[in-house]
Amino acid sequence: MKKWLNYREKDLLSRPLETDEVRYVQSMVRRLTALLLLGPKLDENYQAVKRTYQWRSSISTSIES
C-alpha cells in the first residue's frame, strides 16, 4: 500500500489523487483491517476443525502417487 501511494505522490503525478484513487486506498485499508480482525476467529475455527477431523494418511499417499 505504501508503494502504491508512493507512486502517486503529487510531485510525481503533478496532480493530487483523484476521487476513485482515494476510494481505492480506503477500500484496501478496510479489507486489510477486516482480515486482521478476522485472524483470531479464523485461528479458533482452524483449531476446532483440526481437533474434530481426523486426517487419513492414505489421502496424502494417494495424492503423491
Side-chain angles (χ1 to χ4, degrees):
M1 188 168 42
K2 183 180 178 189
K3 196 172 201 176
W4 189 92
L5 286 169
N6 282 341
Y7 286 129
R8 285 156 183 84
E9 286 185 12
K10 189 175 181 179
D11 295 338
L12 292 173
L13 293 179
S14 302
R15 64 169 175 80
L17 287 176
E18 295 178 358
T19 304
D20 62 332
E21 293 170 321
V22 172
R23 286 189 181 126
Y24 180 77
V25 172
Q26 287 174 332
S27 174
M28 196 181 343
V29 169
R30 286 185 178 122
R31 287 190 307 266
L32 289 169
T33 301
L35 284 172
L36 289 172
L37 292 174
L38 278 173
K41 200 64 161 166
L42 292 171
D43 292 342
E44 181 183 320
N45 286 338
Y46 170 73
Q47 291 301 324
V49 168
K50 190 172 86 170
R51 283 191 302 268
T52 305
Y53 186 77
Q54 296 298 318
W55 295 101
R56 295 182 309 199
S57 60
S58 61
I59 293 174
S60 62
T61 336
S62 64
I63 294 173
E64 292 171 0
S65 304

